[in-house]
Amino acid sequence: HVFVRTARYLRQVSTILRRNAAEAAVLNALIRADLIVLVPFGDGCPYDLMVDTGLETSKVQVKCARIRDSCITFNTCGTDHGRGRESYEGRADVFGVYSPQLDRVYIVPVEGCPHFQARLRCTPTRNNQQRGVRYAGDYAVEDWARSLTRQAA
């Protein structure tokens, strides 16, 4: 017998590899920013990482992003195949968003994010709109880390 992996299996493995790469990139960025990062044991936790400042903790849900229309786009909901889409509100504090195309990590608060997909603009809008626009530069992991260490000091 010859065992042939199905296309569905290969897509699943590809998804797992992307998720692992994103989690490693976010973990690395947080550690390089001199933050204490905790990794929950097992898959039953509603978040992927936790940052501990000594005074407070922040639950981080890691997301792998893609570039579309000059925006970093990432999903803001999880899928439980029995219940459908689930929001991360109340389950995580921030999204740790990794863009493999840019090799950059962004930290975006869960609160205030759309319930399905969020976008961070890489370039200004063509019509110069500012209201409701999230610029990627405003969510750099280094800036978030500095704000945490200032609060802890």
Side-chain angles (χ1 to χ4, degrees), residues 18-131:
R18 274 195 316 272
R19 184 176 64 220
N20 288 346
E23 192 166 327
V26 172
L27 176 63
N28 182 45
L30 294 171
I31 289 171
R32 288 175 60 123
D34 292 327
L35 295 171
I36 296 170
V37 184
L38 310 172
V39 180
F41 176 76
D43 287 331
C45 217
Y47 53 88
D48 297 313
L49 304 169
M50 182 178 283
V51 173
D52 186 350
T53 66
L55 295 176
E56 64 180 68
T57 58
S58 293
K59 297 176 278 188
V60 181
Q61 176 61 41
V62 175
K63 293 293 180 179
C64 189
R66 56 216 162 273
I67 305 288
R68 295 223 173 102
D69 301 323
S70 299
C71 292
I72 298 164
T73 305
F74 61 98
N75 293 337
T76 59
C77 62
T79 51
D80 179 339
H81 298 288
R83 289 180 256 170
R85 294 182 186 142
E86 290 187 302
S87 169
Y88 284 105
E89 285 187 20
R91 300 187 309 147
D93 301 310
V94 295
F95 292 111
V97 180
Y98 174 61
S99 170
Q101 291 96 332
L102 301 174
D103 195 28
R104 295 274 302 143
V105 172
Y106 303 91
I107 303 295
V108 181
V110 169
E111 187 176 299
C113 268
H115 289 290
F116 178 64
Q117 195 175 75
R119 304 177 92 188
L120 303 176
R121 284 212 57 91
C122 297
T123 59
T125 61
R126 282 185 260 163
N127 65 359
N128 293 321
Q129 178 180 337
Q130 296 296 314
R131 189 177 203 160

